[in-house]
Amino acid sequence: MSQNNDLPLKETIGFIGGGNMAYAIASGLISKGVLKAEQIWVSATALEKLRNRWSPLGVTHCTINNEDIVTEADIIFICVKPQLCIRILPDIDCVAKNTKVNMWGKLFVSIMAGVTLDRLRTLMPSVNKANLVRAMPNTPLQVGVGCTVFCSFSDCLSNNYALHKTVQFMFGALGLAYEVKESQINAVTGLAGCGPAYVYEFIEALADGGVKQGIPRDMALRLAAQTVMGAAKTVLETGKHPAVLKDEVCSPGGATIHGVHALEQGSMRGTVMNAVERAANRADQLS
């Protein structure tokens, strides 16, 4: 097993499903030097489309056969839509049951929203429970500032400790990574997993406000995105509560407090809290 300071990792990484999240993880790991492109395998149903997207990363191991991923990879990320689990996971189990390859050294990491560890275990009974991890990353992993939480069967962690540490290292190389209780996964899905979409909405609205005031569209969008990035970095690096930082910007009778008043009139905070709650509830429903 590779050590954290020995880059790139030696393990082969496979992705069942080549969509946005798989691409975000892979491209982030390549750009950070954690993996080389030739260590990556990826499968999807449309081979030409898969190659067109992944080839620019240098990934050449593209296939329509999930069996190739299970056979060739040491760590297999299951990156399909959760409603497909009842079709995909039994196929994986069939490979695990019939293959002559040693399955003990492999780890399966599911990023399917709402699909519990027990559900993974039920649909893949031939895979040892110590080889199952459930994770919830978000797409900013591709630029190295992602958020990921993950969990495993607590009574099995020591049985496959080295592989679990490698997963934690990979996600940690791409941003924040926390191991949590499975009961917290859906809440984090509503906050961090879905959160980038909320922020993109805010950036777009902020830019639209600038355009309304006469700022050119391209400039307004870049100013809005930079403002959000700068504010987020200030929270992380100063350790100050956002309310304290907000008060530091709001001069008495100034422009900022008038803008904040407009946000309060629009119930922005309550709306964002509702968005997190609804997304978390939907993840619960998917379970």
Side-chain angles (χ1 to χ4, degrees), residues 45-272:
T45 54
L47 186 58
E48 184 176 356
K49 182 178 179 181
L50 186 67
R51 285 174 173 164
N52 288 340
R53 185 175 193 187
W54 286 72
S55 292
L57 292 179
V59 176
T60 58
H61 300 306
C62 298
T63 178
I64 60 173
N65 192 345
N66 293 337
E67 182 177 354
D68 294 337
I69 307 300
V70 178
T71 301
E72 298 293 338
D74 302 305
I75 298 176
I76 298 99
F77 286 89
I78 305 171
C79 304
V80 299
K81 297 183 183 302
Q83 57 266 34
L84 296 179
C85 71
I86 57 174
R87 178 169 67 84
I88 299 295
L89 298 187
D91 288 346
I92 296 174
D93 185 71
C94 185
V95 177
K97 180 168 56 178
N98 297 325
T99 185
K100 296 180 181 179
V101 176
N102 178 20
M103 298 300 296
W104 177 251
K106 297 178 183 290
L107 198 68
F108 293 83
V109 183
S110 166
I111 65 167
M112 295 181 290
V115 180
T116 64
L117 287 169
D118 284 338
R119 182 71 165 156
L120 293 174
R121 179 66 174 145
T122 298
L123 292 173
M124 296 193 295
S126 298
V127 176
N128 193 291
K129 63 189 294 189
N131 295 55
L132 297 175
V133 170
R134 181 184 174 193
M136 177 47 61
N138 63 10
T139 52
L141 265 70
Q142 62 190 313
V143 292
V145 286
C147 296
T148 305
V149 294
F150 62 96
C151 64
S152 58
F153 288 103
S154 58
D155 59 328
C156 293
L157 180 59
S158 60
N159 294 337
N160 217 342
Y161 182 75
L163 277 175
H164 283 256
K165 291 298 290 183
T166 298
V167 170
Q168 183 172 30
F169 170 66
M170 286 194 296
F171 283 131
L174 302 179
L176 295 177
Y178 294 104
E179 186 167 8
V180 298
K181 296 177 181 179
E182 187 172 24
S183 60
Q184 297 173 304
I185 290 278
N186 289 341
V188 176
T189 299
L191 192 163
C194 304
Y198 316 152
V199 178
Y200 298 146
E201 286 262 316
F202 179 76
I203 291 172
E204 183 183 22
L206 197 60
D208 283 347
V211 171
K212 185 179 180 181
Q213 297 304 310
I215 301 173
R217 168 68 63 181
D218 289 347
M219 182 188 297
L221 188 58
R222 292 183 66 85
L223 287 171
Q226 182 78 7
T227 298
V228 170
M229 182 174 69
K233 189 172 183 180
T234 302
V235 171
L236 292 173
E237 294 193 0
T238 66
K240 294 181 179 180
H241 192 282
V244 173
L245 293 170
K246 179 199 68 178
D247 287 347
E248 291 176 356
V249 182
C250 292
S251 302
T256 305
I257 192 62
H258 280 76
V260 168
H261 184 208
L263 294 177
E264 292 292 345
Q265 287 177 314
S267 302
M268 187 197 74
R269 288 191 291 179
T271 300
V272 173

